[in-house]
């Protein structure tokens, strides 16, 4: 249920769509390739900036398509170089995307897939109001193009870890993934794209069917169903056994090791027993564990003490599982996930971060 605009999005238009439009405009079909080049090679969304098109054609393109439908409404830079952008969509709704600089001048984009989120993890601001609507593929691609034009360059990698459960918006997400990875369009390697899920089993299986080497990150946050029920409401919560069976299927078809994302919450999922169980799960399913110490901002959840975090990581490492500890970025300003959007909506920062 994406909000259906009056006009199609130019971002996400395939060469055949553009060729059909050129026929309708009685203009040569090679113009379709020129438009696609501007969009997917030069990150130009505004037809008026497509300089090798005749002026009337630029006007016709702008009249017939949303180009762009979204704009950057606000920016929240953090001292660590991370920049969070509030993106205003064509209907006035907002989502967030983040530009994350890394080592050796690497750049990662964190993109959203929905306005709000149906999952409602209890520590996450983004799911607090439930799902408002899905993003269309064109809107997901507009995030990418707006971010590229803001950064003045393409990202080295993309993580779909922003607002929303992307695999519950599979139809639009898969269209966007096609444009991002096809050599005819953006042409990024699927290995440089991480799709994150809260463990939505039907979506994991559909992604596996694509047979592409996307990195799959599953936000498990607990090593057993009982603990998980204290963190994720039962609306779309699947049993861990089913999630990990889907992860096995993904490993089989995509040939990619799955990452288990694990937000560490003091007194909830940070015990030695939890670490032992998590390590066992990771080893059995050949998965990596990525630990994310919770960044508390007025929540009923708390970040564990440093010693607890280190002991948790060591237990997993000693058990022979692959484990990493995520360094929190962008939380110094109003940039923790979900905060910028809530701040724009409610005029104050009162939320917690997204745990993906
Ligand atoms: S952590 Fe992710 S899945 Fe959970 S509510 Fe937030 S956006 Fe949704």
């Amino acid at each position: 249920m994406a909000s259906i605009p009056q006009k199609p999005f130019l971002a996400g238009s395939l060469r055949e769509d553009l060729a059909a439009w050129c026929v309708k405009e009685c203009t040569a079909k090679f113009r379709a390739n020129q438009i696609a080049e501007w969009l997917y090679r030069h990150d130009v969304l505004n037809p008026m900036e497509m300089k090798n098109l005749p002026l009337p054609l630029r006007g016709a393109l702008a009249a017939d398509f949303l180009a762009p439908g979204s704009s950057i409404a606000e920016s929240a830079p953090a001292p660590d170089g991370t920049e969070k952008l509030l993106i205003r969509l064509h209907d006035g709704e907002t989502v967030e995307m983040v530009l994350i600089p890394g080592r050796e001048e690497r750049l990662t984009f964190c993109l959203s897939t929905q306005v709000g989120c149906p999952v409602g993890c209890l520590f996450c601001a983004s799911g607090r109001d439930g799902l408002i609507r899905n993003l269309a593929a064109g809107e997901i691609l507009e995030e990418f193009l707006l971010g590229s034009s803001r950064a003045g360059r393409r990202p080295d990698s993309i993580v779909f870890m922003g607002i929303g459960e992307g695999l519950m918006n599979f139809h639009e997400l898969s269209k966007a993934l096609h444009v991002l990875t096809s050599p005819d369009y953006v042409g990024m390697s699927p290995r440089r794209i991480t799709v994150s899920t809260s463990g939505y089993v039907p979506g994991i299986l559909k992604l596996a069917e694509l047979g592409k080497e996307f990195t799959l990150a599953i936000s498990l946050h607990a090593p057993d169903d009982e603990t998980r029920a204290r963190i994720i409401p039962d609306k779309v919560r699947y049993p861990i056994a089913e999630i990990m069976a889907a992860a096995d299927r993904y490993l089989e078809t995509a040939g990619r090791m799955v990452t288990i994302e694990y937000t560490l919450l003091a007194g909830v999922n940070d015990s030695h027993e939890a670490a032992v169980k998590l390590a066992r799960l990771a080893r059995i399913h050949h998965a990596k564990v990525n630990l994310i110490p919770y960044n508390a901002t007025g929540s009923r959840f708390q970040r564990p003490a440093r010693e607890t975090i280190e002991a948790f990581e060591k237990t997993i490492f000693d058990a022979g599982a692959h484990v990493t500890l995520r360094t929190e970025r962008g939380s110094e300003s109003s940039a923790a996930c979900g905060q910028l959007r809530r701040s724009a909506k409610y005029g104050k920062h009162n939320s917690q971060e997204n745990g993906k």
Side-chain angles (χ1 to χ4, degrees), residues 114 116-128 161-165 196-198 219 221 232 353-356:
Q114 296 180 309
C117 180
V119 181
C121 302
L122 296 180
F123 55 80
C124 172
S126 306
R128 192 169 298 165
M161 292 186 172
I163 299 173
E165 166 52 72
S196 172
T197 176
S198 63
S219 297
H221 304 319
I232 303 178
E353 68 175 311
N354 175 321
K356 293 190 296 190

Side-chain angles (χ1 to χ4, degrees), residues 43 68 71 89 111 130 148 167 233 235 257 271 347 354:
D43 309 326
S71 57
L89 305 171
L111 304 183
S148 296
L167 293 184
K235 288 179 281 185
M257 212 175 181
S271 67
N354 175 321

Side-chain angles (χ1 to χ4, degrees), residues 45-355:
L45 263 167
N46 183 346
M48 301 322 280
E49 293 170 17
M50 299 181 177
K51 299 209 169 68
N52 57 359
L53 299 183
L55 212 48
L57 199 65
R58 295 185 218 173
L61 204 53
D64 286 359
F65 289 90
L66 273 175
S70 319
S71 57
I72 298 171
E74 221 177 286
S75 148
D80 64 4
T82 302
E83 184 179 21
K84 179 164 285 203
L85 303 178
L86 183 75
I87 308 284
R88 192 167 307 286
L89 305 171
H90 71 95
D91 58 358
E93 293 291 354
T94 52
V95 290
E96 295 173 1
M97 71 162 291
V98 195
L99 282 58
I100 308 164
R103 271 183 237 128
E104 295 169 2
E105 306 201 345
R106 295 184 67 78
L107 178 66
T108 300
F109 286 179
C110 176
L111 304 183
S112 295
T113 52
Q114 296 180 309
V115 182
C117 180
V119 181
C121 302
L122 296 180
F123 55 80
C124 172
S126 306
R128 192 169 298 165
D129 299 332
L131 175 67
I132 296 168
R133 71 171 177 85
N134 285 326
L135 292 193
E139 291 175 303
I140 296 170
L141 290 162
E142 283 191 352
E143 284 180 72
F144 172 82
L145 294 170
L146 286 170
S148 296
S149 137
R150 175 81 172 189
R153 56 170 287 201
R154 288 274 167 87
D156 301 290
S157 52
I158 295 174
V159 292
F160 283 97
M161 292 186 172
I163 299 173
E165 166 52 72
L167 293 184
M168 292 184 78
N169 183 18
F170 189 81
H171 186 252
E172 298 301 314
L173 176 63
S174 59
K175 281 203 274 183
L177 288 173
H178 169 68
V179 171
L180 288 170
T181 55
S182 165
D184 286 341
Y185 300 101
V186 176
M188 279 184 78
S189 162
R191 298 175 79 98
R192 295 190 177 278
I193 298 180
T194 298
V195 176
S196 172
T197 176
S198 63
Y200 183 59
V201 169
I204 296 173
L205 296 176
K206 279 192 206 164
L207 193 71
E209 276 168 31
L210 295 183
K212 287 200 172 182
E213 292 182 302
F214 297 114
T215 302
L216 177 66
I218 300 179
S219 297
L220 214 57
H221 304 319
D224 56 71
D225 291 314
E226 200 187 346
T227 308
R228 207 159 185 264
R230 294 172 63 193
I231 303 168
I232 303 178
D234 61 8
K235 288 179 281 185
V236 283
R237 193 183 68 241
Y238 281 78
I240 288 177
E242 283 185 39
I243 295 172
M244 296 317 293
D248 290 346
R249 177 88 190 121
Y250 191 80
L251 175 64
E252 237 172 76
T253 56
R256 296 282 282 159
M257 212 175 181
V258 167
T259 302
I260 295 175
E261 301 283 341
Y262 196 99
T263 299
L264 277 165
L265 305 164
V268 178
N269 63 1
D270 63 344
S271 67
H272 175 73
E273 294 70 36
V276 170
K277 282 190 200 171
L278 183 60
R280 193 181 308 133
L281 263 185
R283 273 193 286 108
I284 291 172
H285 297 280
H286 309 287
K288 293 180 268 190
V289 175
N290 186 30
L291 300 174
I292 311 154
Y294 182 61
N295 190 44
T297 48
S299 160
R300 67 185 165 99
F301 293 108
Q302 296 295 322
R303 182 190 187 100
R306 177 192 288 259
E307 311 77 63
T308 310
I309 295 169
E310 287 171 0
F312 198 93
E313 183 189 14
K314 184 171 184 310
T315 302
I316 297 173
F317 181 81
D318 289 348
H322 184 100
V323 59
T324 51
L325 185 62
R326 189 199 284 181
T327 320
E328 195 54 55
R329 309 204 71 180
S331 56
E332 295 91 338
S333 66
S334 61
C337 289
Q339 290 194 344
L340 193 59
R341 177 170 173 267
R342 285 187 75 82
S343 145
K345 198 168 174 189
Y346 301 116
K348 59 182 178 180
H349 298 151
N350 64 348
S351 54
Q352 300 85 53
E353 68 175 311
N354 175 321

